Each structure stands twice: as C-alpha cells, then as structure tokens.
Amino acid sequence: VVAGIPTPANALVRTLADVKEAAVTVGFPAVLKPISGAASLGVKKVGSHAELRQAFLEVQDEMRNTVVTSGAIARTKAPSGVSSHSCASA
C-alpha cells in the first residue's frame, strides 16, 4: 500500500542477475514491463523463474532496437530471431 492505495509487489530488473531476486520479491504470476516503452510493447506475463529469465532476455533485445519518440515507435533493426517487425505481480 502506497499513500493508502493498494499496489502490486514490484521490483526493478536492470540485469539478468536481478531476475532471481525480483522473482522472490514479486512472486508468480508476474508481468515484465519495460520502464520506457509504449502501450504493450515489451510487456510479458510470466509464470515461472525460467519464463521470467527468457522474457527478460527477449524484451532486452527487443527494446535495444526500439526508439519511442513523439508517440511513434521505430525499430532500428528486427530483434534477434524475428523476421520483421519493471516486474509486477499479476
């Protein structure tokens, strides 16, 4: 509860090393969401530590090649393995 408002458990994941601690703090199911993004870009629901780890790597790769500016989304290149185109408890 923050300022009297119920809030989901959350954790900041900056590196792969942060994934395990975030999983313990938040629990499962959980939602992985980039700090800077647009709409649902990079948002993933995960149900286990293994899914969280894999989703983190995928989102990290996807967001590395994405620029969000003035409401527009542009990719500098397609994410690895794609031909085109903060964790919180659920």
Side-chain angles (χ1 to χ4, degrees):
V1 177
V2 176
I5 300 170
T7 57
N10 61 81
L12 182 60
V13 179
R14 292 184 189 271
T15 68
L16 194 54
D18 297 332
V19 168
K20 186 174 183 177
E21 184 177 337
V24 170
T25 300
V26 174
F28 296 103
V31 175
L32 180 68
K33 181 185 183 309
I35 292 172
S36 60
S40 62
L41 183 66
V43 176
K44 309 261 187 191
K45 182 178 178 184
V46 295
S48 69
H49 182 269
E51 287 180 12
L52 176 58
R53 184 180 188 285
Q54 183 61 39
F56 176 76
L57 293 172
E58 290 171 6
V59 170
Q60 188 178 45
D61 186 50
E62 183 178 340
M63 297 307 293
R64 180 178 296 120
N65 301 309
T66 303
V67 177
V68 179
T69 179
S70 302
I73 301 169
R75 289 241 166 89
T76 55
K77 67 177 185 172
S80 299
V82 176
S83 58
S84 64
H85 152 246
S86 96
C87 269
S89 58

mmCIF file of all heavy atoms in Angstrom, residues 18-46:
data_model
loop_
_atom_site.group_PDB
_atom_site.id
_atom_site.type_symbol
_atom_site.label_atom_id
_atom_site.label_comp_id
_atom_site.label_asym_id
_atom_site.label_seq_id
_atom_site.Cartn_x
_atom_site.Cartn_y
_atom_site.Cartn_z
ATOM 1 N N ASP A 18 19.519 -9.605 -11.640
ATOM 2 C CA ASP A 18 18.410 -9.120 -10.813
ATOM 3 C C ASP A 18 17.167 -10.006 -10.904
ATOM 4 O O ASP A 18 16.254 -9.870 -10.099
ATOM 5 C CB ASP A 18 17.999 -7.698 -11.228
ATOM 6 C CG ASP A 18 19.098 -6.673 -11.036
ATOM 7 O OD1 ASP A 18 19.952 -6.861 -10.148
ATOM 8 O OD2 ASP A 18 19.096 -5.676 -11.786
ATOM 9 N N VAL A 19 17.115 -10.893 -11.880
ATOM 10 C CA VAL A 19 15.905 -11.685 -12.147
ATOM 11 C C VAL A 19 15.511 -12.554 -10.954
ATOM 12 O O VAL A 19 14.349 -12.583 -10.559
ATOM 13 C CB VAL A 19 16.072 -12.531 -13.427
ATOM 14 C CG1 VAL A 19 14.977 -13.564 -13.571
ATOM 15 C CG2 VAL A 19 16.091 -11.618 -14.654
ATOM 16 N N LYS A 20 16.457 -13.255 -10.355
ATOM 17 C CA LYS A 20 16.144 -14.174 -9.254
ATOM 18 C C LYS A 20 15.559 -13.422 -8.062
ATOM 19 O O LYS A 20 14.536 -13.832 -7.497
ATOM 20 C CB LYS A 20 17.384 -14.954 -8.839
ATOM 21 C CG LYS A 20 17.095 -16.020 -7.809
ATOM 22 C CD LYS A 20 18.308 -16.874 -7.517
ATOM 23 C CE LYS A 20 17.963 -17.977 -6.532
ATOM 24 N NZ LYS A 20 19.094 -18.853 -6.282
ATOM 25 N N GLU A 21 16.173 -12.317 -7.674
ATOM 26 C CA GLU A 21 15.679 -11.532 -6.539
ATOM 27 C C GLU A 21 14.292 -10.954 -6.839
ATOM 28 O O GLU A 21 13.421 -10.940 -5.974
ATOM 29 C CB GLU A 21 16.650 -10.413 -6.196
ATOM 30 C CG GLU A 21 16.232 -9.629 -4.965
ATOM 31 C CD GLU A 21 17.227 -8.557 -4.569
ATOM 32 O OE1 GLU A 21 18.413 -8.655 -4.936
ATOM 33 O OE2 GLU A 21 16.808 -7.616 -3.876
ATOM 34 N N ALA A 22 14.082 -10.504 -8.069
ATOM 35 C CA ALA A 22 12.775 -9.967 -8.448
ATOM 36 C C ALA A 22 11.697 -11.044 -8.345
ATOM 37 O O ALA A 22 10.587 -10.784 -7.873
ATOM 38 C CB ALA A 22 12.815 -9.400 -9.866
ATOM 39 N N ALA A 23 12.034 -12.255 -8.752
ATOM 40 C CA ALA A 23 11.076 -13.366 -8.679
ATOM 41 C C ALA A 23 10.678 -13.642 -7.229
ATOM 42 O O ALA A 23 9.506 -13.880 -6.936
ATOM 43 C CB ALA A 23 11.672 -14.619 -9.319
ATOM 44 N N VAL A 24 11.635 -13.590 -6.329
ATOM 45 C CA VAL A 24 11.352 -13.814 -4.908
ATOM 46 C C VAL A 24 10.492 -12.676 -4.359
ATOM 47 O O VAL A 24 9.529 -12.904 -3.625
ATOM 48 C CB VAL A 24 12.670 -13.951 -4.099
ATOM 49 C CG1 VAL A 24 12.403 -13.947 -2.610
ATOM 50 C CG2 VAL A 24 13.412 -15.205 -4.517
ATOM 51 N N THR A 25 10.808 -11.444 -4.718
ATOM 52 C CA THR A 25 10.080 -10.274 -4.231
ATOM 53 C C THR A 25 8.652 -10.226 -4.746
ATOM 54 O O THR A 25 7.713 -9.969 -3.998
ATOM 55 C CB THR A 25 10.805 -8.970 -4.657
ATOM 56 O OG1 THR A 25 12.115 -8.982 -4.108
ATOM 57 C CG2 THR A 25 10.061 -7.740 -4.202
ATOM 58 N N VAL A 26 8.468 -10.505 -6.032
ATOM 59 C CA VAL A 26 7.167 -10.337 -6.685
ATOM 60 C C VAL A 26 6.328 -11.602 -6.633
ATOM 61 O O VAL A 26 5.118 -11.544 -6.428
ATOM 62 C CB VAL A 26 7.363 -9.879 -8.146
ATOM 63 C CG1 VAL A 26 6.052 -9.842 -8.899
ATOM 64 C CG2 VAL A 26 8.038 -8.519 -8.179
ATOM 65 N N GLY A 27 6.939 -12.749 -6.848
ATOM 66 C CA GLY A 27 6.187 -13.995 -6.932
ATOM 67 C C GLY A 27 5.596 -14.177 -8.327
ATOM 68 O O GLY A 27 5.834 -13.374 -9.227
ATOM 69 N N PHE A 28 4.816 -15.239 -8.494
ATOM 70 C CA PHE A 28 4.217 -15.554 -9.796
ATOM 71 C C PHE A 28 2.741 -15.821 -9.642
ATOM 72 O O PHE A 28 2.313 -16.299 -8.588
ATOM 73 C CB PHE A 28 4.912 -16.775 -10.419
ATOM 74 C CG PHE A 28 6.358 -16.521 -10.738
ATOM 75 C CD1 PHE A 28 7.353 -17.016 -9.924
ATOM 76 C CD2 PHE A 28 6.705 -15.763 -11.843
ATOM 77 C CE1 PHE A 28 8.685 -16.770 -10.195
ATOM 78 C CE2 PHE A 28 8.036 -15.506 -12.125
ATOM 79 C CZ PHE A 28 9.026 -16.016 -11.297
ATOM 80 N N PRO A 29 1.934 -15.547 -10.670
ATOM 81 C CA PRO A 29 2.339 -14.992 -11.969
ATOM 82 C C PRO A 29 2.796 -13.539 -11.810
ATOM 83 O O PRO A 29 2.457 -12.876 -10.844
ATOM 84 C CB PRO A 29 1.066 -15.080 -12.822
ATOM 85 C CG PRO A 29 -0.055 -15.064 -11.840
ATOM 86 C CD PRO A 29 0.478 -15.726 -10.595
ATOM 87 N N ALA A 30 3.551 -13.074 -12.786
ATOM 88 C CA ALA A 30 4.084 -11.714 -12.767
ATOM 89 C C ALA A 30 4.028 -11.131 -14.172
ATOM 90 O O ALA A 30 3.838 -11.855 -15.144
ATOM 91 C CB ALA A 30 5.524 -11.717 -12.261
ATOM 92 N N VAL A 31 4.212 -9.817 -14.254
ATOM 93 C CA VAL A 31 4.235 -9.119 -15.534
ATOM 94 C C VAL A 31 5.554 -8.367 -15.626
ATOM 95 O O VAL A 31 5.921 -7.625 -14.725
ATOM 96 C CB VAL A 31 3.050 -8.129 -15.666
ATOM 97 C CG1 VAL A 31 3.160 -7.327 -16.957
ATOM 98 C CG2 VAL A 31 1.728 -8.868 -15.595
ATOM 99 N N LEU A 32 6.268 -8.596 -16.718
ATOM 100 C CA LEU A 32 7.512 -7.894 -17.000
ATOM 101 C C LEU A 32 7.159 -6.744 -17.939
ATOM 102 O O LEU A 32 6.523 -6.953 -18.963
ATOM 103 C CB LEU A 32 8.516 -8.841 -17.664
ATOM 104 C CG LEU A 32 9.870 -8.263 -18.029
ATOM 105 C CD1 LEU A 32 10.656 -7.915 -16.762
ATOM 106 C CD2 LEU A 32 10.651 -9.256 -18.869
ATOM 107 N N LYS A 33 7.533 -5.516 -17.550
ATOM 108 C CA LYS A 33 7.212 -4.343 -18.361
ATOM 109 C C LYS A 33 8.420 -3.425 -18.410
ATOM 110 O O LYS A 33 8.975 -3.087 -17.376
ATOM 111 C CB LYS A 33 6.020 -3.589 -17.756
ATOM 112 C CG LYS A 33 5.629 -2.384 -18.571
ATOM 113 C CD LYS A 33 4.533 -1.595 -17.896
ATOM 114 C CE LYS A 33 4.091 -0.421 -18.739
ATOM 115 N NZ LYS A 33 5.145 0.442 -19.229
ATOM 116 N N PRO A 34 8.818 -3.023 -19.617
ATOM 117 C CA PRO A 34 9.942 -2.084 -19.725
ATOM 118 C C PRO A 34 9.614 -0.760 -19.043
ATOM 119 O O PRO A 34 8.454 -0.336 -19.023
ATOM 120 C CB PRO A 34 10.101 -1.859 -21.236
ATOM 121 C CG PRO A 34 9.401 -3.009 -21.875
ATOM 122 C CD PRO A 34 8.306 -3.404 -20.928
ATOM 123 N N ILE A 35 10.624 -0.121 -18.469
ATOM 124 C CA ILE A 35 10.428 1.185 -17.832
ATOM 125 C C ILE A 35 10.026 2.209 -18.879
ATOM 126 O O ILE A 35 9.133 3.008 -18.673
ATOM 127 C CB ILE A 35 11.715 1.636 -17.107
ATOM 128 C CG1 ILE A 35 11.967 0.719 -15.917
ATOM 129 C CG2 ILE A 35 11.601 3.074 -16.649
ATOM 130 C CD1 ILE A 35 13.292 0.955 -15.242
ATOM 131 N N SER A 36 10.720 2.197 -19.996
ATOM 132 C CA SER A 36 10.367 3.128 -21.071
ATOM 133 C C SER A 36 9.903 2.309 -22.267
ATOM 134 O O SER A 36 10.625 1.469 -22.771
ATOM 135 C CB SER A 36 11.568 3.997 -21.452
ATOM 136 O OG SER A 36 12.636 3.190 -21.886
ATOM 137 N N GLY A 37 8.708 2.530 -22.650
ATOM 138 C CA GLY A 37 8.132 1.799 -23.761
ATOM 139 C C GLY A 37 6.842 2.477 -24.172
ATOM 140 O O GLY A 37 6.527 3.563 -23.695
ATOM 141 N N ALA A 38 6.098 1.843 -25.006
ATOM 142 C CA ALA A 38 4.841 2.417 -25.464
ATOM 143 C C ALA A 38 3.786 1.323 -25.491
ATOM 144 O O ALA A 38 4.055 0.208 -25.958
ATOM 145 C CB ALA A 38 5.010 3.018 -26.862
ATOM 146 N N ALA A 39 2.623 1.641 -24.978
ATOM 147 C CA ALA A 39 1.496 0.703 -24.961
ATOM 148 C C ALA A 39 1.937 -0.632 -24.364
ATOM 149 O O ALA A 39 2.511 -0.668 -23.290
ATOM 150 C CB ALA A 39 0.912 0.554 -26.354
ATOM 151 N N SER A 40 1.719 -1.719 -25.084
ATOM 152 C CA SER A 40 2.080 -3.033 -24.547
ATOM 153 C C SER A 40 3.397 -3.546 -25.111
ATOM 154 O O SER A 40 3.738 -4.707 -24.910
ATOM 155 C CB SER A 40 0.956 -4.028 -24.842
ATOM 156 O OG SER A 40 0.785 -4.155 -26.243
ATOM 157 N N LEU A 41 4.158 -2.699 -25.752
ATOM 158 C CA LEU A 41 5.441 -3.109 -26.324
ATOM 159 C C LEU A 41 6.366 -3.631 -25.229
ATOM 160 O O LEU A 41 6.659 -2.934 -24.260
ATOM 161 C CB LEU A 41 6.106 -1.925 -27.030
ATOM 162 C CG LEU A 41 7.418 -2.211 -27.738
ATOM 163 C CD1 LEU A 41 7.167 -3.157 -28.921
ATOM 164 C CD2 LEU A 41 8.040 -0.926 -28.227
ATOM 165 N N GLY A 42 6.770 -4.881 -25.332
ATOM 166 C CA GLY A 42 7.684 -5.472 -24.378
ATOM 167 C C GLY A 42 7.047 -6.003 -23.109
ATOM 168 O O GLY A 42 7.741 -6.473 -22.226
ATOM 169 N N VAL A 43 5.729 -5.936 -22.992
ATOM 170 C CA VAL A 43 5.044 -6.426 -21.798
ATOM 171 C C VAL A 43 4.816 -7.928 -21.934
ATOM 172 O O VAL A 43 4.288 -8.393 -22.944
ATOM 173 C CB VAL A 43 3.702 -5.690 -21.578
ATOM 174 C CG1 VAL A 43 2.955 -6.269 -20.385
ATOM 175 C CG2 VAL A 43 3.946 -4.199 -21.395
ATOM 176 N N LYS A 44 5.235 -8.685 -20.923
ATOM 177 C CA LYS A 44 5.127 -10.150 -20.963
ATOM 178 C C LYS A 44 4.599 -10.656 -19.632
ATOM 179 O O LYS A 44 5.083 -10.254 -18.569
ATOM 180 C CB LYS A 44 6.496 -10.794 -21.193
ATOM 181 C CG LYS A 44 7.280 -10.251 -22.358
ATOM 182 C CD LYS A 44 7.149 -11.108 -23.548
ATOM 183 C CE LYS A 44 8.096 -10.605 -24.649
ATOM 184 N NZ LYS A 44 7.844 -11.229 -25.890
ATOM 185 N N LYS A 45 3.632 -11.573 -19.664
ATOM 186 C CA LYS A 45 3.170 -12.265 -18.463
ATOM 187 C C LYS A 45 4.012 -13.527 -18.323
ATOM 188 O O LYS A 45 4.203 -14.252 -19.294
ATOM 189 C CB LYS A 45 1.693 -12.626 -18.562
ATOM 190 C CG LYS A 45 1.181 -13.309 -17.316
ATOM 191 C CD LYS A 45 -0.291 -13.622 -17.401
ATOM 192 C CE LYS A 45 -0.736 -14.352 -16.151
ATOM 193 N NZ LYS A 45 -2.143 -14.749 -16.231
ATOM 194 N N VAL A 46 4.519 -13.769 -17.114
ATOM 195 C CA VAL A 46 5.364 -14.932 -16.873
ATOM 196 C C VAL A 46 4.839 -15.706 -15.668
ATOM 197 O O VAL A 46 4.258 -15.136 -14.749
ATOM 198 C CB VAL A 46 6.841 -14.525 -16.654
ATOM 199 C CG1 VAL A 46 7.424 -13.922 -17.919
ATOM 200 C CG2 VAL A 46 6.993 -13.566 -15.492
#
